[in-house]
């Protein structure tokens, strides 16, 4: 089941370096940070309080970058998101480090090693960790998640999700003249506009597969990801392109079945299943039409039940998703109440056999009347 972070108990730290003294500048990175902060604090994504989304622009020293991450890690109990955009560099051993304004390729002491960031976030008490790296060689971080103390295995319950903009030895792209870097620009498009023909809520896995397909189609570096447990089901955005499947207002010819014609609980349940068939909708489509959405497994259990549901709420949402009006749903609720009462009515005791019946039975059996 998809999970939405608790905004009050979650934090995001967005780090970006666009100005470099030795390396090539990346002006698009400066635009990434405020745009991503607006998205994460807005209603289309996590709706974080503004104070829970920290922007760290142009950090000069490792402490300038890591202290805000450490502070967020110590105050987060639900979900921590850490984002970095800038130059991703390799040291002499081929390990990833993040470029600061005065960083030099091959000299990790001039930047921030991924290992240093990793040590902070693996000590975090958050239930879930999301790391998004929009930098060259960011795929190296996937390998650094390996080993005995795998980053994703350190997280409680839902684990960690690492989304890298480029393969292990690949370059991220900041196209000249574009407002944002290639990866973050595509990510922002998802957060703002959603994805057509996808569910109401977009989890990390859905976002990743969309980004991978869109960027590959444009001939741009394809993102990579590493996750553990159910971290990929974490909701990142409310899908602005979501449109519920349209069900007919009522079946064209026969109309909806009459709930008063259901004389037994089994008949009631059978007609519930028939109503989905009348709409022409699949179980997943019905589940998405419900308000709030029902899990497909919940709909399936309802339609395959052998006894009436103990409560009415799920059945009511199911009927509304099929297209019934509130008045029609009330009629079905009355039928459910009637049949529930019938199920709960204690059985009547059998009447004792009349004495004369026993007498005639004795006569037929050849026994004398004892009277």
């Amino acid at each position: 089941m998809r999970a939405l972070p608790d905004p009050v108990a979650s934090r995001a730290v967005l780090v970006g370096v666009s100005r470099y003294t030795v390396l090539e500048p990346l002006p698009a990175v400066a635009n990434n940070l405020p745009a991503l902060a607006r998205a994460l604090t807005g209603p289309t994504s996590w709706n974080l309080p503004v104070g829970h989304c920290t922007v760290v622009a142009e950090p000069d020293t490792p402490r300038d970058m890591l202290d805000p991450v450490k502070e967020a890690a110590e105050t987060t109990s639900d979900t921590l998101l850490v984002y970095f955009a800038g130059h991703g560099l390799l040291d002499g051993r081929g390990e990833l480090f993040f470029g600061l304004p005065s960083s030099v390729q091959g000299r990790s002491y001039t930047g921030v090693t991924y290992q240093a960031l990793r040590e902070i976030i693996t000590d975090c008490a958050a239930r879930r960790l999301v790391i998004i790296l929009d930098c060259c060689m960011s795929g190296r971080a996937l390998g650094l998640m390996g080993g005995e103390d795998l980053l994703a295995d350190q997280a409680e319950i839902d684990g960690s999700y690492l989304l890298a903009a480029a393969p292990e030895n690949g370059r991220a792209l900041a196209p000249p003249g574009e407002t944002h870097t290639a990866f973050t620009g595509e990510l922002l498009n998802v957060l703002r506009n959603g994805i057509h023909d996808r569910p109401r809520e977009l989890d990390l896995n859905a976002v990743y597969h969309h980004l991978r397909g869109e960027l590959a189609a444009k001939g741009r570096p394809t993102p990579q990801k590493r996750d553990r447990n159910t971290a990929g089901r974490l909701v990142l955005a409310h899908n602005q392109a979501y449109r519920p499947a349209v069900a007919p207002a009522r079946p064209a010819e026969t109309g909806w079945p009459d709930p008063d014609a259901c004389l037994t609980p089994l008949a009631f349940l059978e007609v519930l299943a028939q109503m989905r068939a009348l709409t022409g909708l699949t179980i997943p489509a019905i589940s998405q039409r419900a308000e709030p959405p029902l899990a497909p497994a919940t709909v399936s259990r309802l339609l395959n039940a052998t006894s009436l549901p103990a409560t009415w709420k799920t059945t009511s949402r199911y009927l509304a998703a099929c297209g019934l009006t509130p008045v029609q749903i009330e009629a079905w609720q009355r039928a459910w109440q009637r049949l529930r009462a019938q199920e709960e009515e204690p059985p009547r005791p059998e009447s004792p056999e009349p004495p004369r019946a026993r007498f005639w039975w004795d006569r037929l059996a050849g026994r004398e009347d004892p009277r």
Side-chain angles (χ1 to χ4, degrees):
M1 186 174 181
R2 297 181 184 89
L4 186 66
D6 176 6
V8 176
S10 301
R11 302 289 189 280
V13 181
L14 313 180
V15 182
V17 181
S18 64
R19 299 193 297 267
Y20 288 90
T21 57
V22 177
L23 303 171
E24 179 184 1
L26 301 171
V29 169
N31 300 322
N32 288 356
L33 298 181
L36 190 54
R38 283 193 297 272
L40 292 173
T41 57
T44 64
S45 184
W46 287 0
N47 206 24
L48 293 174
V50 173
H52 288 195
C53 184
T54 303
V55 174
V56 183
E58 318 300 337
D60 285 320
T61 68
R63 286 198 59 177
D64 290 340
M65 173 175 167
L66 296 178
D67 280 351
V69 177
K70 177 70 172 175
E71 181 180 350
E74 291 174 345
T75 55
T76 304
S77 59
D78 190 288
T79 304
L80 173 64
L81 182 149
V82 178
Y83 166 92
F84 174 82
H87 279 298
L89 307 170
L90 301 180
D91 64 13
R93 295 174 298 175
E95 295 184 1
L96 175 68
F97 70 97
F98 305 117
L100 299 179
S102 58
S103 289
V104 178
Q105 177 70 274
R107 302 178 186 179
S108 60
Y109 61 87
T110 64
V112 174
T113 64
Y114 179 72
Q115 182 63 31
L117 173 64
R118 183 171 175 267
E119 288 174 2
I120 293 174
I121 57 182
T122 51
D123 289 337
C124 177
R127 297 173 62 236
R128 291 171 291 236
L129 303 170
V130 180
I131 305 97
I132 302 177
L133 304 179
D134 188 357
C135 60
C136 298
M137 314 299 174
S138 54
R140 290 288 175 117
L142 303 179
L144 293 174
M145 289 176 74
E148 295 180 358
D149 56 344
L150 186 67
L151 170 60
D153 292 339
Q154 297 295 315
E156 299 177 5
I157 305 177
D158 280 0
S160 294
Y161 198 98
L162 192 152
L163 184 57
E168 181 178 351
N169 295 312
R171 294 178 59 84
L173 190 64
E178 294 192 13
T179 303
H180 303 289
T181 58
F183 171 83
T184 299
E186 206 66 55
L187 175 61
L188 288 168
N189 184 54
V190 170
L191 297 180
R192 293 166 178 165
N193 303 314
I195 305 173
H196 290 288
D197 300 322
R198 297 306 298 265
R200 188 192 309 268
E201 310 294 346
L202 297 174
D203 60 25
L204 286 166
N205 280 337
V207 172
Y208 163 73
H209 288 296
H210 178 79
L211 294 178
R212 190 172 175 85
E214 291 296 307
L215 289 166
K218 296 175 182 178
R220 296 182 169 184
T222 52
Q224 314 292 311
K225 63 108 172 174
R226 172 76 64 85
D227 63 303
R228 285 293 184 273
N229 302 324
T230 59
R233 302 307 303 275
L234 180 69
V235 172
L236 186 61
H238 303 288
N239 189 1
Q240 299 304 295
Y242 172 75
R243 298 293 181 271
V246 177
R250 57 185 294 118
E253 297 177 359
T254 60
W256 295 115
D258 181 4
D260 292 332
C262 298
L263 303 181
T264 66
L266 185 58
F268 183 95
L269 294 167
E270 288 177 347
V271 173
L272 283 186
Q274 292 170 8
M275 293 174 77
R276 183 202 63 79
L278 288 172
T279 68
L281 297 174
T282 63
I283 286 179
I286 288 285
S287 68
Q288 287 298 322
R289 280 179 53 83
E291 291 288 350
L294 291 165
T298 301
V299 176
S300 181
R301 282 194 298 270
L302 174 65
L303 302 187
N304 290 283
T306 56
S307 61
L308 290 176
T311 60
W312 175 248
K313 186 175 181 180
T314 296
T315 308
S316 175
R317 288 160 61 189
Y318 164 77
L319 292 171
C322 286
L324 272 70
T325 67
V327 172
Q328 291 170 323
I329 293 172
E330 286 179 6
W332 279 93
Q333 185 175 11
R334 289 194 295 271
W336 169 78
Q337 291 169 335
R338 167 173 55 81
L339 293 169
R340 283 279 295 168
Q342 177 180 313
E343 279 188 333
E344 296 169 359
E345 183 178 342
R348 296 180 180 178
E350 293 184 3
S351 301
E353 188 179 3
R356 185 163 296 277
R358 287 201 302 271
F359 168 72
W360 284 108
W361 173 254
D362 289 338
R363 290 280 304 271
L364 290 170
R367 292 192 291 271
E368 294 296 329
D369 184 353
R371 289 178 293 176

